[in-house]
Amino acid sequence: MFCLGSVANEESIERRSLSFAVKQWNDARTQETTIRFKVVNSGSKAHDIEERVCDILQRKPVAIIVPSTSKYAANYVRRACEQFRIPCVDIDGSNDLSDFGVNVGIPREAAGRALAAFVTKLQWANFVLFYQRSSDLAELGPLLELTSSWPHPGIVLRQLPKNNDLRAFLKHIRNSVHATRMVIHTKDISDTYRFLQHARIMRMTDAKYSYAVTNMDLSLLEEYVLNSTDFTCNITGLRLINNDSFQRKVIDSDAPTIMLSLSSSANC
């Protein structure tokens, strides 16, 4: 059994997603190989990334997953892996790789290219782009560049507030910005869930609203959306597919439509 180290909190979406992926890999290859992986976490309850990494190193991992939720933690993990000559695995498309780093994520601008094609195809004249951190906007460069083309869409940028209650924020968007088309760019699917949850409360999920979500884990919210009669809006997500066997998955019901369609070359 080979250990993959993770500094993510055991209850976090990032940690659960990693455990699910490892389980899927192990289960799919029971007949092919005896190689098995397991995810190991730091046994330390400390919040300091230094102590958590030190604890994981003592568990002799064959590689450490670079966290995607903190740039400081990600850089620290990369430096530690280089110092102790342990492979580190990036999953967010980062170019900040060490000699011992490998990137298994999609290119950082892939979502931006896909959304630019999506917005152009549907001829969105204007929309609001929600983001968490200013640095995240670099990943959506191709989408933002549409403002320099003709006919160009009007893009309103709004940074998501850090507090958990988004109702006042969304009320302003609804009453002052008068937006019905929105792009949600978040790293953590729980933030996307929180956004949609409060949008439902603010009656911003009826048929006149459309949402495009960049987080690749949008499918985790299918049950929540499809089981609610409050969602009659369109929610479009992105998904990696195999170009050799292109498939488009459309979940259709009497209420919302969730489309997951993104090729590995970021063509919509």
Side-chain angles (χ1 to χ4, degrees):
M1 185 73 72
F2 295 95
C3 296
L4 297 175
S6 171
V7 297
N9 185 288
E10 196 161 355
E11 299 300 319
S12 67
I13 293 292
E14 182 175 353
R15 172 65 167 80
R16 292 181 179 181
S17 298
L18 176 60
S19 296
F20 177 77
V22 169
K23 183 179 185 303
Q24 289 286 94
W25 193 95
N26 287 338
D27 292 346
R29 290 163 177 78
T30 54
Q31 305 298 324
E32 301 174 12
T33 178
T34 58
I35 295 176
R36 296 289 180 272
F37 293 97
K38 71 174 182 179
V39 181
V40 294
N41 267 67
S42 168
S44 171
K45 300 298 183 180
H47 294 292
D48 293 340
I49 184 64
E50 295 84 357
E51 187 172 336
R52 297 176 70 85
V53 170
C54 182
D55 188 60
I56 287 176
L57 290 173
Q58 296 180 49
R59 299 169 186 266
K60 300 181 179 179
V62 295
I64 298 179
I65 308 299
V66 176
S68 59
T69 53
S70 166
K71 187 171 183 179
Y72 174 80
N75 288 334
Y76 186 87
V77 168
R78 294 188 189 105
R79 291 195 302 270
C81 287
E82 187 167 19
Q83 179 180 350
F84 292 96
R85 306 177 69 84
I86 297 175
C88 63
V89 181
D90 266 279
I91 58 176
D92 70 343
S94 172
N95 295 320
D96 303 325
L97 298 179
S98 67
D99 292 338
F100 288 85
V102 59
N103 190 347
V104 297
I106 64 171
R108 281 194 168 182
E109 293 189 345
R113 292 196 298 269
L115 285 173
F118 171 79
V119 167
T120 301
K121 182 71 175 179
L122 295 189
Q123 298 181 338
W124 280 15
N126 53 74
F127 60 91
V128 180
L129 170 58
F130 299 100
Y131 63 95
Q132 288 179 306
R133 298 182 296 269
S134 298
S135 57
D136 295 340
L137 292 177
E139 302 169 4
L140 300 178
L143 179 63
L144 298 175
E145 288 172 4
L146 289 179
T147 56
S148 62
S149 62
W150 182 263
H152 59 273
I155 304 177
V156 177
L157 301 179
R158 288 293 185 272
Q159 188 169 14
L160 291 171
K162 294 182 180 180
N163 58 301
N164 290 325
D165 193 339
L166 300 179
R167 286 177 293 182
F169 175 74
L170 291 176
K171 182 179 180 179
H172 168 75
I173 296 297
R174 184 189 63 191
N175 297 341
S176 299
V177 182
H178 305 293
T180 58
R181 295 166 175 169
M182 310 180 205
V183 175
I184 307 171
H185 183 51
T186 64
K187 297 288 188 182
D188 195 326
I189 193 61
S190 61
D191 292 319
T192 303
Y193 169 73
R194 178 169 55 100
F195 186 102
L196 294 176
Q197 186 181 41
H198 287 102
R200 179 183 62 82
I201 296 173
M202 298 305 298
R203 301 182 184 276
M204 295 173 65
T205 55
D206 58 33
K208 71 178 181 180
Y209 290 95
S210 295
Y211 296 92
V213 179
T214 63
N215 194 293
M216 293 291 184
D217 291 325
L218 177 62
S219 58
L220 296 175
L221 303 183
E222 285 180 16
E223 184 176 352
Y224 166 70
V225 172
L226 296 179
N227 287 342
S228 172
T229 58
D230 293 329
F231 284 92
T232 56
C233 58
N234 288 321
I235 302 177
T236 301
L238 306 178
R239 183 183 187 181
L240 286 177
I241 62 171
N242 189 337
N243 277 335
D244 296 330
S245 57
F246 179 83
Q247 291 183 342
R248 182 181 297 272
K249 178 182 178 184
V250 179
I251 304 170
D252 200 2
S253 70
D254 294 334
T257 299
I258 299 181
M259 295 173 51
L260 306 173
S261 52
L262 170 64
S263 73
S264 54
S265 59
N267 295 319
C268 226

